Amino acid sequence: MMETTVEAATVRTAELDSAKAALRAAAQIVTLEGPDSVDGAAHSILACSLSLANMHVSDAAMNRLRERLLTMSELRGGGMDTVTRDRARRLLTASARLQTAIAENPHPLPNINDYRYTPEVIPTAVADAAAEASAALSAFPDRTFSGEERNVLSNMQYRGPFLIQPRYHERRRELEEAHVEFLRTARAELGSTSSNA
């Protein structure tokens, strides 16, 4: 999913959508035809797989926008006008500062996005960095980024890549546990079926 061009990413997204549909269909078959004992593990596999896939898709979108900003900033040889170059550099720098401020200022909020909605509990360093990041994004003309891209940029500023977050690693662990449980229960069912035959 980490393709940097929109065209290549579109192909990968179509492949991923096809794989998701196949996984959903397989889980549905287990539900309809398999024993109840394996159904829970099968749906855990489905839920974890879809969650991980969505995190990869989100990170891929962030990666494409980061590459676009690096090109705009001429760090990747974009040949941009000086205003665009300076805006891109300011946004990249402000985003990095915000992520650093969030990492260095532990917070009691369950969701990092709550920083955007509950300003009274934001540590000063985070509030200052968030204001700078918001201003850097707002400096671009409205048509520079689509609404979806602005959401991705906002997530990139506040969250950073999903693949380095504890939630990603926790979901991978849950997927491995679901695989083990599915195989254990399936083997137990197959064993009891063959012994009854």
Side-chain angles (χ1 to χ4, degrees), residues 19-165:
K20 286 178 178 179
L23 187 60
R24 284 188 186 100
Q28 189 64 31
I29 289 169
V30 171
T31 299
L32 294 172
E33 298 181 10
D36 291 343
S37 59
V38 296
D39 189 44
H43 278 82
S44 291
I45 289 172
L46 175 64
C48 290
S49 296
L50 294 178
S51 177
L52 287 166
N54 290 337
M55 290 183 200
H56 278 273
V57 168
S58 294
D59 271 19
M62 286 184 200
N63 186 53
R64 283 190 298 281
L65 278 171
R66 189 177 301 108
E67 285 296 318
R68 186 169 158 200
L69 285 169
L70 287 169
T71 299
M72 291 170 129
S73 68
E74 294 189 324
L75 296 175
R76 292 273 198 271
M80 295 288 167
D81 61 89
T82 57
V83 173
T84 301
R85 181 199 64 203
D86 291 346
R87 284 175 178 154
R89 288 180 179 179
R90 181 178 171 211
L91 181 57
L92 287 165
T93 302
S95 297
R97 283 188 186 141
L98 176 57
Q99 287 179 33
T100 300
I102 289 171
E104 291 176 350
N105 292 276
H107 59 88
L109 301 174
N111 182 342
I112 202 72
N113 288 325
D114 290 345
Y115 272 138
R116 287 181 267 186
Y117 308 115
T118 51
E120 66 278 0
V121 298
I122 301 177
T124 302
V126 175
D128 292 346
E132 181 186 355
S134 178
L137 181 54
S138 296
F140 283 91
D142 287 343
R143 290 173 298 188
T144 307
F145 304 108
S146 68
E148 182 180 338
E149 287 174 330
R150 284 183 177 272
N151 286 337
V152 170
L153 285 166
S154 182
N155 277 332
M156 188 168 80
Q157 289 177 327
Y158 280 86
R159 254 197 201 119
F162 280 97
L163 305 192
I164 62 170
Q165 293 177 23

Side-chain angles (χ1 to χ4, degrees), residues 146-191:
S146 68
E148 182 180 338
E149 287 174 330
R150 284 183 177 272
N151 286 337
V152 170
L153 285 166
S154 182
N155 277 332
M156 188 168 80
Q157 289 177 327
Y158 280 86
R159 254 197 201 119
F162 280 97
L163 305 192
I164 62 170
Q165 293 177 23
R167 191 171 102 187
Y168 176 79
H169 298 288
E170 180 182 332
R171 197 66 79 236
R172 283 185 61 102
R173 180 187 51 76
E174 290 170 358
L175 178 60
E176 289 169 11
E177 290 172 358
H179 274 137
V180 169
E181 179 62 14
F182 179 81
L183 290 173
R184 186 190 67 73
T185 54
R187 285 178 178 142
E189 285 293 335
L190 289 170

